[in-house]
Amino acid sequence: MQGKEIQQYALQIATGTALAELCYPFGDDIPVVKIMGKVFLLTSSKDGEIFVNLKVTPEHGDMLRDIYSSIHTGYHMNKRHWISIYSGDQISKELIEDLVLNSYALVVQTLTKAQKQTLAIHSSL
């Protein structure tokens, strides 16, 4: 998949999650998706190449970087907990969907009990 395709598909999946909020806190060209104020997806470009940043566990990030040549440590993010996905033949829609939903789930785990209850109520509607 190419960078623009990855970006569009990742944003489509992310904004379809419960209580996801698309915003542009860093400028019109940097879409960010948050759950209850916490970022789980950020996309931008570096040297004209579009990338998507997603949260991962350190072990998962290491494994992904070993397998996929177009997955790197998170650009301008915590290098242990974030990855950047660039254009690559190995990148598929299934992989993007899995990584976006995993990033969402990791951030949901950090929510307070009250926030999780709000999310549960909203998800059941």
Side-chain angles (χ1 to χ4, degrees):
M1 290 178 78
Q2 296 303 307
K4 189 71 175 167
E5 271 183 294
I6 294 168
Q7 179 187 52
Q8 289 172 343
Y9 192 65
L11 286 169
Q12 177 186 338
I13 298 300
T15 56
T17 57
L19 295 180
E21 171 196 357
L22 175 63
C23 58
Y24 296 85
F26 307 113
D28 292 343
D29 58 337
I30 305 176
V32 174
V33 185
K34 298 179 179 183
I35 171 70
M36 297 189 162
K38 295 183 179 236
V39 175
F40 71 95
L41 180 148
L42 178 146
T43 181
S44 187
S45 64
K46 176 184 170 196
D47 301 326
E49 190 175 2
I50 295 172
F51 65 88
V52 173
N53 281 348
L54 296 167
K55 192 167 183 75
V56 293
T57 62
E59 301 79 26
H60 194 206
D62 290 343
M63 186 246 341
L64 290 165
R65 286 188 298 276
D66 286 344
I67 295 172
Y68 300 100
S69 60
S70 58
I71 296 181
H72 304 277
T73 56
Y75 182 70
H76 276 292
M77 306 295 270
N78 180 307
K79 306 298 184 210
R80 291 193 67 227
H81 296 280
W82 289 84
I83 56 170
S84 291
I85 306 168
Y86 294 86
S87 297
D89 293 336
Q90 297 174 308
I91 306 300
S92 66
K93 283 188 169 188
E94 294 80 15
L95 177 63
I96 295 300
E97 182 173 1
D98 182 57
L99 293 175
V100 169
L101 294 177
N102 182 63
S103 181
Y104 176 82
L106 285 172
V107 173
V108 165
Q109 289 176 0
T110 69
L111 298 176
T112 66
K113 185 175 181 178
Q115 288 173 319
K116 288 177 185 176
Q117 289 172 340
T118 300
L119 179 60
I121 291 168
H122 185 77
S123 296
S124 67
L125 296 178

